Amino acid sequence: MGLMWKRRAKTIPTMLLVTAAAVLLAPVLIVAAFTWDAVRLRWRLPTLRLYGFVLQYLLNDSAEIVAAGPLWLAAGFGTRLDRMASRRRHERLQAWSIALLARRAQQLLGVRLELEVGSTEALQPGPAIVVCRHVSLFDASLPSLLYLRLGFHTRGVITAELLADPGFDLLYQRAGSVFIPRDNDPGARQKAAMVCRHLDAQTVGVIFPEGRLFRPDALERSQARLAEKDPARATRLAGLRHLLPPRPAGLSALLDAAPGTDVVVINHAGFDHHPRFADLARAVPLRRPITVSARRIARADIPDDATERTVWLDELWCDMDRWVHDRLG
């Protein structure tokens, strides 16, 4: 608890100050961004568009910080934050923020989603455990956005590094998401399983089994480590080109915590061309849509044995990798 408040004492004022500076300096920054693009003959104004999106992100985050206080009071001075009524209030704020950022991403950055046939049907009904690949900061919100449009709620297993963002820290934890450190914390499985508490027909749990953003060098390191620790898995996953080897422990914890729950697999292609912020800055507005697919796997088709379940996950990941490779041409 002490570490949490110590962290927030730094992150919350910093976010509010950065947002205030971005707003107050907007006239100067807008002219500077326009001039930078014009000098480089970038008439689609990528720098200006990116500034507009970042400004919206800062405003959203600050709005979440400001709203967190009244929501804390409404939850009995924080004593009833884990009650369903409190979670629903935080989920409504979360839904507003994600929807607004998605609109700005489309208007300013040209981020358009193109769902493959049958994907909408696969996303419903709930409850479900959702797995998704992770190649961009934008795809972190992709499952939430897709389910938000259908009127569902999401709870995620999120890397603890994002606690540095006070909006995530205050809002997502109260809405039922959990934050897991990368360093194989012994309590990580138990903590991840908390996402599946009180799953209902309108709520899904979300996890990114890769555990980090895909990068070619990260793939090489992951495959090298796997070759030392588990040669059989390394052989199965040797053909991966666009996904990192999945970590089975987190997903397995969710499956054990929610017996009978199906798995929804969300895959996408298009963010791969802009993995870094600098790549995106040069490319916006994006000319091509992001292709998205979703399919549902019945729980009866998922093994209960831990070893067999790992094999199943590896085969699923190889299939997802082939799908991405085909869509990227």
Side-chain angles (χ1 to χ4, degrees), residues 48-324:
L48 183 59
R49 290 169 178 271
L50 208 58
Y51 167 73
F53 181 79
V54 171
L55 179 60
Q56 184 66 71
Y57 180 88
L58 294 173
L59 289 170
N60 278 35
D61 218 283
S62 295
E64 292 164 4
I65 292 170
V66 172
L71 291 176
W72 182 81
L73 292 174
F77 294 90
T79 60
R80 297 192 297 272
L81 283 173
D82 60 344
R83 302 284 180 85
M84 187 56 67
S86 175
R87 289 195 174 188
R88 290 298 186 234
R89 287 192 289 268
H90 285 84
E91 285 170 344
R92 285 193 289 272
L93 177 59
Q94 181 182 16
W96 165 82
S97 183
I98 291 173
L100 180 55
L101 280 176
R103 285 199 301 272
R104 295 294 179 266
Q106 181 172 349
Q107 295 165 349
L108 296 173
L109 308 183
V111 177
R112 294 170 291 117
L113 303 182
E114 187 177 84
L115 268 68
E116 292 196 335
V117 175
S119 294
T120 301
E121 291 76 14
L123 294 172
Q124 52 186 329
I129 295 170
V130 179
V131 299
C132 184
R133 69 179 294 231
H134 195 21
V135 71
S136 163
L137 295 176
F138 284 92
D139 66 31
S141 297
L142 179 60
S144 296
L145 177 61
L146 294 176
Y147 276 98
L148 168 65
R149 291 175 174 176
L150 298 173
F152 290 82
H153 308 287
T154 59
R155 300 173 188 163
V157 179
I158 305 172
T159 174
E161 292 175 358
L162 286 178
L163 288 171
D165 183 319
F168 272 92
D169 190 359
L170 293 167
L171 180 59
Y172 281 68
Q173 287 200 94
R174 296 180 183 180
S177 294
V178 298
F179 291 80
I180 305 295
R182 294 188 192 275
D183 55 358
N184 296 319
D185 182 73
R189 282 178 58 95
Q190 184 177 1
K191 195 172 184 180
M194 294 172 62
V195 164
C196 291
R197 290 190 307 173
H198 314 302
L199 285 187
D200 54 37
Q202 297 298 315
T203 310
V204 298
V206 179
I207 189 169
F208 294 82
E210 291 163 294
R212 63 181 65 239
L213 290 171
F214 172 85
R215 295 291 182 269
D217 56 336
L219 175 60
E220 292 179 10
R221 291 194 300 270
S222 296
Q223 288 178 325
R225 286 194 298 267
L226 204 56
E228 294 180 3
K229 294 173 56 180
D230 193 335
R233 287 199 71 203
T235 300
R236 282 197 303 270
L237 297 169
L240 291 181
R241 293 158 291 188
H242 308 287
L243 282 75
L244 297 178
R247 301 179 179 185
L251 176 58
S252 191
L254 267 60
L255 291 170
D256 291 339
T261 303
D262 293 345
V263 167
V264 173
V265 181
I266 294 178
N267 207 356
H268 58 85
F271 287 124
D272 309 73
H273 301 299
H274 325 289
R276 298 174 303 167
F277 194 78
D279 300 323
L280 183 67
R282 287 191 293 268
V284 297
L286 305 186
R287 299 176 184 272
R288 298 179 181 178
I290 307 301
T291 305
V292 180
S293 77
R295 62 186 175 107
R296 199 176 191 94
I297 301 177
R299 185 55 180 267
D301 296 330
I302 301 173
D304 291 325
D305 176 76
T307 301
E308 294 177 0
R309 188 180 284 171
T310 298
V311 173
W312 165 81
L313 179 60
D314 289 346
E315 292 174 348
L316 170 65
W317 231 242
C318 290
D319 184 55
M320 292 173 65
D321 188 85
R322 286 189 290 270
W323 181 92
V324 173

